[in-house]
Amino acid sequence: MSKYNDLFTKLTEGLDPVGKEDKDINNDGKVDDTDKYLLKRRAEIEKAYEKGKHEEEEKIKTRHNNKHSDALKIWDMLLNQKKYSPSEALEVINLAKSAFEHTL
């Protein structure tokens, strides 16, 4: 185990403590253009991550809205086109749900 502890120590000895990071991003002992580049790159990665996260949330919301819209269309079809009463339409929906759950 000592071999791994020594390796870990060598890898982390130049790093800043968590919460006490400084402007020397790459920990080479000087603040230069490389550090500015790394800082800008991290900001762009974070921005892209947040954009992707927001887009995924929008897709989920759209998918949910589409499902809701489809459910309303089915309800409308059962009530108006097939001339079921609301209780009969609910019974048909419950039967369909039960049949679907058995296929999973």
Side-chain angles (χ1 to χ4, degrees):
M1 242 5 203
S2 175
K3 177 172 77 171
Y4 296 110
N5 289 339
D6 293 342
L7 179 61
F8 179 76
T9 302
K10 286 180 184 179
L11 290 173
T12 59
E13 64 187 15
L15 302 179
D16 299 326
V18 175
K20 296 183 180 181
E21 296 85 2
D22 56 17
K23 292 185 180 191
D24 183 18
I25 305 291
N26 61 2
N27 294 310
D28 64 352
K30 59 188 183 285
V31 177
D32 54 13
D33 289 339
T34 306
D35 298 303
K36 291 177 186 175
Y37 167 79
L38 291 172
L39 188 62
K40 184 177 178 183
R41 183 170 181 213
R42 287 179 182 180
E44 289 297 319
I45 290 170
E46 179 67 22
K47 183 178 170 183
Y49 172 77
E50 289 298 323
K51 180 181 176 186
K53 185 177 166 184
H54 178 70
E55 287 174 355
E56 185 62 29
E57 289 171 353
E58 286 298 316
K59 284 180 188 177
I60 291 170
K61 189 185 294 183
T62 300
R63 208 173 309 135
H64 175 73
N65 289 342
N66 288 343
K67 288 178 184 176
H68 183 73
S69 176
D70 290 346
L72 289 176
K73 288 176 187 174
I74 291 169
W75 182 254
D76 182 57
M77 181 195 74
L78 290 173
L79 290 178
N80 297 323
Q81 295 174 9
K82 297 291 185 183
K83 309 290 188 222
Y84 286 120
S85 69
S87 61
E88 290 171 328
L90 190 56
E91 186 178 338
V92 169
I93 289 172
N94 286 333
L95 286 170
K97 179 181 173 188
S98 176
F100 179 75
E101 287 172 350
H102 289 296
T103 63
L104 296 178

